[in-house]
Amino acid sequence: VNVSRPFRAPGPRSRDPIHPAGLDIQLRRPHYRRRKSEMPSSLKAALEDLLRARRLVKDGPPLRGEDRRFDLLPTGIDSVDGLLGGGFPRGQLSEVHGPLSCGRTGLAISLLARATGAGALVAWVDPGDRFDPASAAESGLDLSRLFWLRGEPTARSLPRTLSALGTLLGSGLFELLVLDLAGLPVTEVRRLPAASWLRLQRTLEGSPAALVLLADHHLASSPGGISLALTPARPVWSGTPGPGRLLRGLAAEARGRVSLRTASFQLQASA
């Protein structure tokens, strides 16, 4: 394991414990002493109960002879999929990293939208509480097939977030999981032990699930995973220059960790 906000239209954010279009759990700090790497037993039990309930809506088993472990997960962005050889690999830890407004969140939402459109259950693990379900739905993401795990944007919540993520991976319910660490203090993110990523990769191996990290800088990816660096290019405006023009989208470039090739793409602004 290698260890080392695109444009988003504002929309209403639900603060209810359970989002009406999906599942939403908030991680809160326990009131008693516990090792930082542990998740409170009551919270873990609640999470496991919700996962058992969610299992009732999971699609049936694959057809005989069908093995999804070798199917790539496309982003739906032709230039990026071409750069990746078809999409993100299953059974691997991958990452998408870059500075603010580079398109990392938009690319991840496009990836999730393709997966839910094919009937998969997906998860967004959100310790910084940055996810905007209204914008995601406008981009084609089926919120009824999304498990949204929210947290508090504090350093103390990160170890518990990884513990909860391990529970989600172990459930076998999700074909695609996104861990959004973008916007969190880099020093706190890099304090996470390298063994955390090794444990997550061991859980992923041989499974049809893919885990994608979102971060400001290169963080971690498995040998068979993707490390995609994004660079913001320019905003794309409609009409002639002047105060009346509107933002149409954001242009960006993607580059793999070892490849010299790049891919240009544009994320469309939603109203």
Side-chain angles (χ1 to χ4, degrees):
V1 175
N2 298 307
V3 180
S4 5
R5 230 181 251 212
F7 171 78
R8 183 176 66 183
R13 292 170 59 87
S14 170
R15 291 293 175 181
D16 298 331
I18 301 247
H19 191 274
L23 288 179
D24 165 15
I25 298 178
Q26 296 192 17
L27 296 180
R28 297 298 181 190
R29 185 165 46 191
H31 298 291
Y32 49 89
R33 282 183 91 75
R34 178 177 296 273
R35 287 187 305 169
K36 288 183 179 181
S37 60
E38 290 184 356
M39 182 167 54
S41 57
S42 58
L43 176 59
K44 185 174 182 180
L47 178 56
E48 291 173 342
D49 286 344
L50 281 170
L51 290 174
R52 279 192 290 269
R54 196 62 168 172
R55 189 180 298 276
L56 297 177
V57 300
K58 187 177 187 296
D59 289 341
L63 299 175
R64 181 175 297 177
E66 180 186 2
D67 193 344
R68 292 194 298 251
R69 291 177 300 169
F70 304 105
D71 294 338
L72 299 175
L73 291 164
T75 66
I77 304 173
D78 293 341
S79 59
V80 175
D81 290 335
L83 180 66
L84 301 180
F88 283 86
R90 299 173 187 259
Q92 300 293 334
L93 171 63
S94 299
E95 66 173 345
V96 178
H97 62 89
L100 188 68
S101 298
C102 68
R104 62 200 173 200
T105 304
L107 189 147
I109 289 175
S110 180
L111 176 65
L112 291 173
R114 283 296 299 265
T116 57
L121 293 179
V122 300
W124 188 285
V125 181
D126 188 20
D129 198 15
R130 297 187 331 118
F131 183 69
D132 183 358
S135 294
E138 289 178 5
S139 298
L141 176 58
D142 184 354
L143 296 181
S144 69
R145 306 195 71 78
L146 170 72
F147 191 97
W148 177 18
L149 185 65
R150 298 165 63 187
E152 293 178 323
T154 64
R156 294 184 179 183
S157 73
L158 291 182
R160 291 194 296 275
T161 295
L162 292 187
S163 178
L165 176 59
T167 300
L168 297 181
L169 284 171
S171 72
L173 288 174
F174 306 99
E175 292 189 32
L176 177 61
L177 302 95
V178 172
L179 172 59
D180 186 3
L181 299 177
L184 299 181
V186 176
T187 54
E188 301 298 342
V189 172
R190 288 185 172 173
R191 284 180 185 174
L192 293 170
S196 301
W197 312 120
L198 291 170
R199 283 193 294 269
L200 290 173
Q201 175 55 36
R202 282 198 294 267
T203 305
L204 279 167
E205 285 177 357
S207 78
L211 172 61
V212 178
L213 307 180
L214 301 185
D216 297 321
H217 305 279
H218 168 53
L219 184 59
S221 62
S222 61
I226 298 293
S227 180
L228 196 63
L230 302 186
T231 305
R234 67 187 188 284
V236 180
W237 302 93
S238 64
T240 58
R245 62 180 180 169
L246 300 175
L247 182 66
R248 291 178 51 196
L250 177 73
E253 287 188 351
R255 181 188 297 272
R257 185 175 59 211
V258 297
S259 173
L260 297 178
R261 297 169 53 210
T262 62
S264 298
F265 64 98
Q266 180 178 322
L267 297 173
Q268 207 169 29
S270 55

